[in-house]
Amino acid sequence: MVDWKIVPRDNPASDYPSDFEVVQIKEAHRDGLLTLQDHPHIKRVTPQRKVFRTLKFTHSADEVVPCNDTRWTQKWQSSRPLRRTSLSLGSGFWHATGRHSSRRLLRAIPRQVAQTLQADVLWQMGYTGAGVKVAVFDTGLGEKHPHFKNVKERTNWTNEKTLDDGLGHGTFVAGVIASMRECQGFAPDSELHIFRVFTNNQVSYTSWFLDAFNYAILKKINILNLSIGGPDFMDHPFVDKVWELTANKVIMVSAIGNDGPLYGTLNNPADQMDVIGVGGIDFEDNIARFSSRGMTTWELPGGYGRVKPDIVTYGSGVRGSGIKGGCRSLSGTSVASPVVAGAVTLLASTVQNRELINPASIKQALIASARRLPGVNMFEQGHGKLDLLKAYQILNSYRPQASLSPSYIDLTECPYMWPYCSQPIYYGGMPTIVNVTILNGMGVTGRIVDKPIWQPYLPQNGDSIEVAVSYSHMLWPWSGYLAVSITVAKKAALWEGIAQGHVMVVVASPVENDSEMDAEQTSTVKLPVKVKIIPTPPRSKRVLWDQYHNLRYPPGYFPRDNLRMKNDPLDWNGDHIHTNFRDMYQHLRSIGYFVEVLGAPITCFDASQYGTLLMVDSEEEYFPEEIIKLRRDIDNGLSLIVFSDWYNTSVMRKVKFFDENTRQWWMPDTGGANIPALNDLISVWGMAFSDGLYEGDFSMANHDMYYASGCSIARFPQDGIVIAQTLKDQGLEVLKQETMVVDSVPILGLYQTPSEGGGRIALYGDSNCIDDSHRQKDCFWLLDFLLQYTSHSVMPPSLSHSENRQRPPTVSEQPLPERLEGNHLYRYSKVLEAHLGDPKPRPLPACPHLLWAKPQPLNETAPSNLWKHQKLLSIDLDKVALPNFRQSRPQVRPLSPGESGAWDIPGGIMPGRYNQDVGQTIPVFAFLGAMVVLAFFVVQITKSKSKPKRRKPRVKRPQCLQQSHPPKTPSV
């Protein structure tokens, strides 16, 4: 290989061995990549990624640029946003979107967050973070900042020759963790290690992070705060290095993201099992609107996501250190993350046996002690709000063990167990999948002994459900998964009631520093299961959501369905009924439909059980066997609803990105939907979508509607019903910046298939009106109408007699959309495989087959409260009492003029709060005081009764003094 070189990296890690190299290869010799990829000693070849980080302050409403006031030519041909960004509020990473344009900063009174969480109680016990190494990966820190007294090391990993913070974000984060004055941090005596990984232009590269991560391992860092994130959980070098960090006992705390309130917006690395993912709340304990929500989308389409965030804490209006001194307030999950990192640093300093401190044990203590917020589901709050003092008690009575997250499955508990609790289960339904995380505090590696055991409670009808379990065969690092699939036994097809049981898991880990090589320690955990069963609903009430044919970023470039949203160009929320189609799902449940998810090919479901198959925003291709099966199913009574989106090869070329990593243009692999594939699916009925691209406001059936980058219907059967509207040609606007209004654009089609007992088909050209991502006007009413038609054969008169009804379009000379030449969809497709010439379909995969666990019934009563029943084993909070300190607070740092006096309250008790021991003594004093008062009254009454009554002589007094005066009694 010629014309290549290894790029030198001048940073503090250069003096140590490295596990990667940065190689520069000239454009003309890119075949050398194949040589590297085929080398037996090279694990993976990945492009060097440029990481953008935009740190902006929140602007007022009149400064927000409307989403439509943008130019097509400038926005789209920009560098591809494969980036990890700061998660402070106002960060520009997919934030200034139409969905967020009306967002306001959640104002909160600035407070000392460390004292609000009662860190001063631990300070008075002598714990201030001493001996704990905490790393801040951010924008650096000034050399002699007055807030810090124990900055052990500052390192620069960028190409700028400075260690100072030019933006202020790194200073703020470090201050929340370890400031000793003004806006106090949690652990002022901790060892601060500052890693400057972003330039003043808010730029970083993957190699900078990898080098810095390696250096953190060498320096034996204990806690690492990473207030950045991005959606790319397939950035393999980054994800692998995070695993390596935690495997070396580095406790990583990371912000969950600022893309709320939309679901399915978790950021990496906070969405990893071995990382503590932190969401944000305000000081009134409300989930911050900006805080990202679960579930994780790694597991789609066949599985189900994990619970994230792990924990929430204050992230709105929090005070931290200014760049030169003083305090400032910021909001965002990048603020909540250092709150938890500082708390963990303080907690670690309270543990005498530091060997007990590891990523799993800390996470176990945090989630076991978290205070659950009422009325909030687990994909918003995780396990609840950080409770520092209770975490201290748990951690200081902790013994190594395994635990589960969530620790139980209760499909009857709403709203915490949403979405599981939102729909009962029934015989014949798709299995309900719960993805449980196993945390292994015994060691970095572990295994599940034998197999998990399913034990139904017979008195609680546990034999009415069947359970299948799949799991990680090796738990590394510190964690693994336990996927529990639940379905109803045939015997309960007509039964209604509650069924309970539990799954028992035994986890084993090698004993460290043991003379016996095969010595293991084990921990047994139970996963209680409680479900509500109902009789199988009628076919007309059952809707099947096609998840299998939805694709999203990562790994490929799948563009947004609404082209107006140029600041949010990637389709990355999973397209699941519990992520960005959550509102649609909630609506369907509210009107009595039962919605199930198909995570396998169309060949893998019994169509006789369902009234309607719902296909929305499909980007995947179809197996030939699927096309044949669907045609047969519709002939036999299954109905189909398709919500499509735009597809135009000229526009796809226009919305390309220039990838600065590979120096190549990055072309979309499909449009908003894969129209050519959908046309193959529905062509047998004489139907097809066009490559027209339209937008605009209109009215249909007395409802205001907005068509956002949708397509039109190109062909439809002549005996069908077609509704047309007047819309703008958005494709022309994108390509030529010209505006043209088009009359009679066919957007909705309804058709009854001719076969006896055949199903019905409904087509609509835009999915944005049911998608939470950028929905402007919902069309749930239209979905209701379509389901009345497809599932119940009821044609709404407002559609059949609409003034916008027109004759269906006939076969015209205009060709139908064709697949983009040279597209790389086969790289990410489950259907296509690379082939000489055009990609060809893979062999049809086998349908998923679950191996149902053999039950081991228990003839005993199940626990009634699953949440309180499932606590960490071997924990005795009574052994770790919080002492009642009455001496003055320790001088952790000198007070500065004008500083908050909250530290000066005797005993470190905040106003409106008291520490645990003071709270325990107050009832005792109250009782004793009440007894004294009662005794006094008894004595007085006794004396008055024992005295003989004497008649007092009547004495004349002046008129002004004749008013009687009752005897004075002591006030209590």
Side-chain angles (χ1 to χ4, degrees):
M1 187 165 54
V2 295
D3 291 328
W4 64 275
K5 67 175 182 178
I6 294 178
V7 179
R9 310 195 303 276
D10 183 17
N11 56 51
S14 303
D15 297 332
Y16 303 93
S18 178
D19 54 356
F20 75 96
E21 293 289 354
V22 179
V23 180
Q24 185 178 24
I25 303 173
K26 288 191 175 180
E27 185 77 22
H29 300 278
R30 296 183 62 82
D31 291 342
L33 284 175
L34 299 176
T35 305
L36 292 174
Q37 290 170 345
D38 293 338
H39 197 283
H41 294 161
I42 295 177
K43 179 181 179 181
R44 184 181 288 116
V45 178
T46 306
Q48 162 88 312
R49 295 179 185 254
K50 187 175 183 179
V51 183
F52 292 89
R53 178 184 187 282
T54 304
L55 181 64
K56 297 188 297 184
F57 294 101
T58 305
H59 296 291
S60 59
D62 55 357
E63 293 176 312
V64 176
V65 179
C67 60
N68 293 340
D69 289 355
T70 50
R71 306 255 178 164
W72 294 99
T73 53
Q74 296 175 349
K75 279 286 185 179
W76 285 100
Q77 295 183 5
S78 58
S79 60
R80 149 184 165 196
L82 284 170
R83 54 191 182 179
R84 297 179 183 274
T85 67
S86 164
L87 295 174
S88 60
L89 195 63
S91 171
F93 180 62
W94 294 349
H95 185 74
T97 63
R99 174 169 56 90
H100 298 308
S101 61
S102 62
R103 176 182 294 171
R104 302 291 182 271
L105 176 62
L106 298 177
R107 301 293 178 185
I109 300 172
R111 306 187 186 181
Q112 302 284 9
V113 66
Q115 294 174 343
T116 302
L117 289 169
Q118 295 179 278
D120 48 343
V121 174
L122 298 184
W123 293 337
Q124 291 185 84
M125 296 169 63
Y127 303 121
T128 54
V132 180
K133 299 178 180 180
V134 56
V136 177
F137 277 56
D138 219 285
T139 59
L141 177 69
E143 182 177 5
K144 294 182 179 180
H145 197 287
H147 288 184
F148 305 98
K149 65 176 180 179
N150 198 13
V151 178
K152 210 69 175 179
E153 185 178 27
R154 296 185 306 147
T155 52
N156 176 41
W157 305 87
T158 73
N159 53 14
E160 294 179 340
K161 303 301 181 182
T162 180
L163 295 167
D164 294 338
D165 182 5
L167 297 174
H169 191 266
T171 304
F172 182 93
V173 169
V176 172
I177 296 172
S179 172
M180 68 173 181
R181 67 175 77 244
E182 295 186 88
C183 28
Q184 298 92 0
F186 285 83
D189 286 324
S190 60
E191 291 186 13
L192 264 183
H193 294 253
I194 305 299
F195 289 72
R196 187 176 188 270
V197 291
F198 284 102
T199 68
N200 289 333
N201 291 326
Q202 307 166 23
V203 172
S204 185
Y205 285 89
T206 298
S207 63
W208 296 355
F209 275 101
L210 299 184
D211 275 331
F213 284 154
N214 282 336
Y215 192 71
I217 295 173
L218 290 169
K219 289 294 181 177
K220 300 187 182 302
I221 295 296
N222 303 121
I223 290 105
L224 190 153
N225 182 80
L226 201 60
S227 288
I228 66 164
D232 191 359
F233 55 80
M234 290 187 177
D235 184 359
H236 294 293
F238 191 95
V239 172
D240 289 350
K241 188 58 67 174
V242 170
W243 284 339
E244 185 181 342
L245 271 168
T246 55
N248 282 275
K249 281 194 170 185
V250 179
I251 300 165
M252 179 174 283
V253 183
S254 186
I256 204 66
N258 282 352
D259 296 287
L262 185 65
Y263 282 68
T265 52
L266 302 175
N267 281 215
N268 180 265
D271 61 350
Q272 294 184 213
M273 284 188 286
D274 52 322
V275 175
I276 300 172
V278 184
I281 59 175
D282 61 23
F283 281 102
E284 283 70 47
D285 288 355
N286 302 307
I287 299 294
R289 179 176 173 82
F290 55 75
S291 187
S292 290
R293 274 75 164 163
M295 61 183 176
T296 61
T297 58
W298 297 39
E299 299 79 5
L300 299 178
Y304 195 83
R306 288 170 284 110
V307 175
K308 282 281 181 171
D310 295 300
I311 197 169
V312 293
T313 192
Y314 301 122
S316 183
V318 172
R319 298 186 75 202
S321 299
I323 192 168
K324 297 295 184 182
C327 298
R328 61 189 293 208
S329 295
L330 282 181
S331 296
T333 52
S334 72
V335 176
S337 179
V339 169
V340 171
V344 168
T345 304
L346 180 58
L347 288 170
S349 69
T350 70
V351 180
Q352 301 302 317
N353 182 6
R354 295 290 172 87
E355 290 298 317
L356 293 176
I357 302 298
N358 60 57
S361 65
I362 287 292
K363 184 184 283 193
Q364 287 173 327
L366 291 179
I367 65 179
S369 62
R371 181 167 63 83
R372 185 176 294 182
L373 302 177
V376 181
N377 71 57
M378 60 185 178
F379 289 119
E380 292 185 347
Q381 68 168 311
H383 294 269
K385 173 188 172 183
L386 171 67
D387 188 330
L388 180 63
L389 297 187
K390 192 174 179 184
Y392 161 75
Q393 291 178 297
I394 288 178
L395 200 57
N396 279 272
S397 62
Y398 175 83
R399 291 201 303 226
Q401 60 192 277
S403 64
L404 304 174
S405 169
S407 60
Y408 66 97
I409 300 171
D410 187 350
L411 274 60
T412 69
E413 182 189 358
C414 269
Y416 182 72
M417 279 282 170
W418 187 93
Y420 299 112
C421 65
S422 63
Q423 181 169 292
I425 63 175
Y426 41 84
Y427 176 70
M430 293 288 174
T432 296
I433 305 173
V434 184
N435 195 340
V436 178
T437 298
I438 305 171
L439 297 172
N440 178 22
M442 298 180 292
V444 64
T445 62
R447 65 184 180 90
I448 292 180
V449 179
D450 297 327
K451 292 181 179 179
I453 300 172
W454 163 239
Q455 295 186 302
Y457 293 108
L458 294 182
Q460 277 73 41
N461 310 296
D463 55 346
S464 295
I465 55 178
E466 296 179 340
V467 169
V469 181
S470 60
Y471 52 90
S472 302
H473 292 284
M474 183 176 72
L475 308 179
W476 183 90
W478 310 101
S479 57
Y481 72 88
L482 183 74
V484 181
S485 300
I486 307 169
T487 192
V488 177
K490 187 175 182 180
K491 60 175 284 188
L494 301 176
W495 180 74
E496 181 171 356
I498 304 296
Q500 289 185 251
H502 69 243
V503 177
M504 182 177 292
V505 182
V506 179
V507 177
S509 277
V511 177
E512 295 183 9
N513 304 321
D514 195 280
S515 57
E516 298 182 24
M517 295 295 294
D518 297 330
E520 285 187 325
Q521 52 185 333
T522 61
S523 177
T524 301
V525 290
K526 292 181 181 179
L527 179 71
V529 176
K530 183 179 181 181
V531 301
K532 178 176 175 56
I533 299 173
I534 62 170
T536 303
R539 178 183 186 183
S540 61
K541 284 293 185 181
R542 295 176 63 181
V543 177
L544 188 63
W545 173 272
D546 178 21
Q547 186 69 40
Y548 188 78
H549 295 92
N550 287 335
L551 300 175
R552 48 65 174 117
Y553 173 86
Y557 174 16
F558 297 100
R560 272 291 188 206
D561 305 322
N562 185 348
L563 289 176
R564 285 289 175 200
M565 303 305 160
K566 305 179 195 65
N567 290 331
D568 198 358
L570 298 177
D571 193 350
W572 65 286
N573 303 130
D575 287 345
H576 192 277
I577 59 172
H578 298 153
T579 58
N580 53 307
F581 288 93
R582 175 180 183 267
D583 289 351
M584 180 212 71
Y585 166 75
Q586 294 283 77
H587 175 78
L588 292 180
R589 287 295 300 126
S590 70
I591 59 176
Y593 288 100
F594 296 84
V595 188
E596 302 171 37
V597 176
L598 177 65
I602 293 174
T603 53
C604 296
F605 79 99
D606 180 3
S608 66
Q609 299 291 316
Y610 301 92
T612 300
L613 175 64
L614 187 54
M615 290 184 169
V616 179
D617 188 21
S618 302
E619 295 93 356
E620 180 63 280
E621 294 283 337
Y622 297 89
F623 291 103
E625 296 89 343
E626 290 184 290
I627 297 175
I628 295 171
K629 163 82 161 39
L630 183 62
R631 292 171 180 173
R632 184 171 64 246
D633 289 341
I634 291 179
D635 286 342
N636 292 328
L638 177 71
S639 291
L640 173 66
I641 296 177
V642 178
F643 279 79
S644 183
D645 275 297
W646 68 274
Y647 186 98
N648 183 290
T649 54
S650 298
V651 173
M652 290 163 65
R653 293 187 180 95
K654 185 71 173 180
V655 299
K656 60 188 176 181
F657 285 106
F658 185 71
D659 181 2
E660 295 190 7
N661 307 315
T662 60
R663 310 300 298 176
Q664 289 182 324
W665 287 101
W666 203 34
M667 203 77 69
D669 296 303
T670 69
N674 191 340
I675 295 297
L678 282 172
N679 286 346
D680 290 346
L681 190 70
I682 59 178
S683 62
V684 69
W685 296 287
M687 301 178 184
F689 289 105
S690 78
D691 63 356
L693 205 166
Y694 303 95
E695 74 157 345
D697 293 291
F698 61 93
S699 178
M700 184 162 60
N702 296 321
H703 290 85
D704 291 334
M705 299 279 286
Y706 176 66
Y707 211 64
S709 305
C711 66
S712 64
I713 296 174
R715 297 175 186 173
F716 208 74
Q718 290 303 296
D719 53 344
I721 295 174
V722 170
I723 306 296
Q725 296 290 341
T726 299
L727 299 170
K728 290 192 298 184
D729 188 336
Q730 191 178 25
L732 186 66
E733 181 182 354
V734 172
L735 297 173
K736 298 182 179 180
Q737 289 77 54
E738 298 178 4
T739 301
M740 184 174 71
V741 176
V742 182
D743 295 327
S744 301
V745 178
I747 60 173
L748 174 64
L750 306 172
Y751 179 63
Q752 168 69 61
T753 58
S755 59
E756 183 178 354
R760 289 154 291 280
I761 300 174
L763 306 182
Y764 188 67
D766 178 30
S767 72
N768 284 280
C769 58
I770 58 173
D771 185 343
D772 300 345
S773 297
H774 298 300
R775 185 178 65 242
Q776 298 187 30
K777 297 176 182 177
D778 75 70
C779 63
F780 298 148
W781 68 270
L782 176 61
L783 183 57
D784 295 350
F785 279 16
L786 298 184
L787 283 171
Q788 288 178 29
Y789 175 66
T790 59
S791 293
H792 304 280
S793 190
V794 176
M795 171 64 72
S798 57
L799 294 181
S800 60
H801 297 88
S802 171
E803 62 182 11
N804 299 112
R805 180 174 175 178
Q806 70 171 33
R807 292 190 61 182
T810 57
V811 177
S812 63
E813 296 180 358
Q814 182 178 358
L816 295 177
E818 295 185 356
R819 292 165 177 84
L820 180 66
E821 185 178 354
N823 76 80
H824 298 138
L825 183 62
Y826 66 89
R827 295 179 179 175
Y828 322 112
S829 171
K830 302 178 290 295
V831 176
L832 300 178
E833 63 180 356
H835 200 273
L836 291 176
D838 294 331
K840 303 296 182 183
R842 304 172 189 267
L844 181 70
C847 295
H849 177 70
L850 294 174
L851 185 62
W852 302 106
K854 184 178 180 180
Q856 297 184 10
L858 297 174
N859 194 17
E860 59 184 68
T861 303
S864 57
N865 191 324
L866 303 187
W867 174 34
K868 292 184 178 179
H869 175 71
Q870 285 297 302
K871 295 298 180 183
L872 280 179
L873 305 175
S874 309
I875 298 298
D876 186 358
L877 297 184
D878 294 334
K879 292 182 178 178
V880 189
L882 295 170
N884 178 22
F885 282 95
R886 297 199 177 278
Q887 72 266 25
S888 60
R889 60 169 176 80
Q891 290 296 323
V892 179
R893 83 288 173 273
L895 285 171
S896 59
E899 186 173 347
S900 168
W903 283 59
D904 298 317
I905 299 172
I909 304 172
M910 294 292 292
R913 296 180 179 268
Y914 49 86
N915 77 21
Q916 184 167 330
D917 289 318
V918 173
Q920 292 170 349
T921 59
I922 286 177
V924 177
F925 285 118
F927 176 75
L928 292 176
M931 293 303 294
V932 170
V933 173
L934 180 62
F936 175 80
F937 277 112
V938 170
V939 171
Q940 294 297 319
I941 294 171
T942 304
K943 285 183 178 180
S944 64
K945 288 185 177 180
S946 62
K947 289 182 180 180
K949 294 183 179 180
R950 291 195 307 172
R951 190 168 183 176
K952 295 182 179 180
R954 191 169 182 178
V955 180
K956 290 186 177 181
R957 298 186 181 183
Q959 185 69 25
C960 63
L961 298 177
Q962 280 186 346
Q963 185 178 358
S964 63
H965 292 270
K968 293 183 178 180
T969 57
S971 60
V972 181

